[in-house]
Amino acid sequence: MAGKTSKATGKPKAGEGGQPVLLSGGNPQIAKGYGDAPVQAYIAAMPGWKNALGARLDALITSAVPGVRKAVKWNSPLYGMEDDDWFLGIHVFAKYVKVAFFRGAGLDPVPPGPSKQKEVRYLDIHEDDELDEAQFTAWVKQAAALPGEKM
């Protein structure tokens, strides 16, 4: 049935022509699900240049934290060490991809994006930005070692 999502596969809801539904700002609408499949469905649905960035971020996270757990909740991929205990999330916006470090205030150096939440810090990545993979990987390793955020 058009417009529905399979919870088993985590495939995006289809819009016109079978394309995934993109919410405001271009964030893919993906059904809640646990494991790699819904995260890969999200990445595949990321529009334009954000698709390659999403794949690169996922590869860096997976390489830095063997055994990392993955899920999609609230139309965002989450990464953690235990069920419903997350250290990082990704969200697509119209002009950038936002990486949220849920305990980012405890990272060294602290990621540059402030938050209204005391512990959260962000890394916003725009199309022409050069991703410092070594720094990103260091943040991911540090974040995975801190207590996660229950969600």
Side-chain angles (χ1 to χ4, degrees):
M1 184 186 307
K4 295 290 183 181
T5 305
S6 169
K7 289 184 180 181
T9 65
K11 290 186 179 178
K13 292 182 178 182
E16 294 291 321
Q19 296 299 314
V21 173
L22 298 179
L23 302 172
S24 65
N27 196 48
Q29 186 173 12
I30 304 294
K32 176 181 174 181
Y34 290 85
D36 190 53
V39 171
Q40 295 310 316
Y42 180 96
I43 291 168
M46 292 172 75
W49 62 270
K50 297 166 192 157
N51 175 267
L53 176 62
R56 187 69 196 133
L57 294 174
D58 182 70
L60 289 168
I61 295 164
T62 302
S63 176
V65 184
V68 68
R69 293 184 183 267
K70 301 179 186 183
V72 171
K73 291 183 170 193
W74 307 287
N75 295 308
S76 296
L78 300 175
Y79 296 82
M81 298 308 297
E82 297 176 22
D83 289 339
D84 293 323
D85 196 19
W86 310 104
F87 63 83
L88 182 150
I90 297 173
H91 197 84
V92 170
F93 289 90
K95 297 184 180 191
Y96 62 97
V97 173
K98 182 178 285 294
V99 178
F101 293 95
F102 302 128
R103 301 277 185 221
L107 304 181
D108 184 25
V110 175
S115 172
K116 293 178 182 178
Q117 298 174 348
K118 182 180 177 184
E119 294 293 320
V120 177
R121 295 297 181 274
Y122 297 112
L123 175 65
D124 294 345
I125 307 168
H126 296 83
E127 182 173 11
D128 294 327
D129 289 349
E130 189 73 29
L131 176 64
D132 183 340
E133 292 186 2
Q135 181 60 73
F136 181 78
T137 299
W139 279 330
V140 168
K141 288 179 179 180
Q142 290 177 54
L146 296 173
E149 182 70 24
K150 296 282 184 198
M151 292 187 200

